[in-house]
Amino acid sequence: AGRTDAGVHATGQVVSLSGEAPVDPHRLRSALRGLLPRDIDAYAVSAATDGFDARHDALTRRYEYRVLPGRSSALRRGRVLEYYRDLDDSVLDTCAHEVQGRHDFRAFTPTRSRHTRFTRTIIEAAWDRRDDERVLVIEANSFLHHMVRVMVGTMLETASGLRSVVGFRELLASADRRDAGPTAPAHPLTLVAVTYPAEVAS
């Protein structure tokens, strides 16, 4: 359903396949779990309507990016960004609010890009507090290459006082990639859900 960067995790990835003969979903799931590498699992298998395409029929994709401020954790090191600058939570919230809606996000994707259109619609963007972590929950109709990771890197700089909220807001006015912040690491990012029209995913 989505092509992610190397190192990005997925708990809600969707894959479609077609065949000439009917296949029992339970048997297929058992076969997949025996064949897949140990770091990939098939949570569920179900029949879809004829012609269903996991990528092209998707309406939205939802990601989460986990940040652990001000400390380290050996147990979570492969799943969070350890961030050692002080963060202003109210600024994080403001930045998330600013990116919601339809914008030109060319400042948040590499200058050399396969994309020809840079307008995307963000349906939801919010920073959740989960114990000692800050988690960006973001859902859109689609995403540009590196878009969430550049967005996170820029939001963190803004919330730690390295850039202004006004400057962050100006990035949504078709600014250059060089004006945005760094690309945050891939490993704290997870694809958590994909939505489809009810009539094609039944």
Side-chain angles (χ1 to χ4, degrees):
R3 296 175 295 178
T4 59
D5 303 330
V8 175
H9 302 283
T11 59
Q13 184 64 278
V14 180
V15 177
S16 55
L17 63 88
S18 59
E20 296 181 359
V23 177
D24 177 74
H26 178 74
R27 291 184 62 188
L28 179 57
R29 178 173 181 261
S30 297
L32 285 172
R33 298 189 81 180
L35 292 170
L36 290 170
R38 292 176 62 86
D39 58 347
I40 302 177
D41 195 7
Y43 287 123
V45 175
S46 61
T49 56
D50 290 343
F52 171 72
D53 186 289
R55 180 180 169 210
H56 293 105
D57 287 334
L59 295 176
T60 68
R61 296 163 180 85
R62 175 181 287 250
Y63 284 87
E64 292 184 354
Y65 195 100
R66 297 169 59 188
V67 177
L68 182 62
R71 57 176 296 185
S72 62
S73 170
L75 295 178
R76 288 179 282 176
R77 193 156 291 148
R79 298 299 298 271
V80 301
L81 171 62
E82 297 173 344
Y83 195 76
Y84 296 102
R85 291 183 177 274
D86 291 336
L87 290 171
D88 186 328
D89 286 337
S90 65
V91 173
L92 286 178
D93 293 338
T94 299
C95 289
H97 177 76
E98 290 293 333
V99 301
Q100 292 185 86
R102 185 175 176 84
H103 300 283
D104 184 324
F105 288 101
R106 73 181 66 226
F108 298 97
T109 194
T111 303
R112 294 183 178 180
S113 172
R114 57 181 170 79
H115 299 291
T116 57
R117 295 182 300 103
F118 299 91
T119 301
R120 297 293 187 272
T121 300
I122 293 185
I123 299 162
E124 178 187 357
W127 283 92
D128 285 350
R129 280 65 164 171
R130 300 182 188 173
D131 296 326
D132 55 352
E133 293 181 12
R134 302 293 182 269
V135 182
L136 176 65
V137 180
I138 186 165
E139 182 174 355
N141 61 338
S142 64
F143 291 91
L144 301 170
H145 187 51
H146 288 179
M147 178 174 161
V148 176
R149 294 169 56 198
V150 178
M151 201 173 288
V152 168
T154 311
M155 287 184 182
L156 292 176
E157 282 195 345
T158 306
S160 58
L162 298 178
R163 59 176 64 232
S164 68
V165 172
V166 172
F168 182 88
R169 188 179 296 119
E170 290 172 348
L171 292 171
L172 298 172
S174 304
D176 191 277
R177 169 65 185 92
R178 290 169 294 185
D179 296 330
T183 304
H187 65 271
L189 182 62
T190 302
L191 173 65
V192 297
V194 185
T195 63
Y196 295 94
E199 63 271 18
V200 303
S202 57

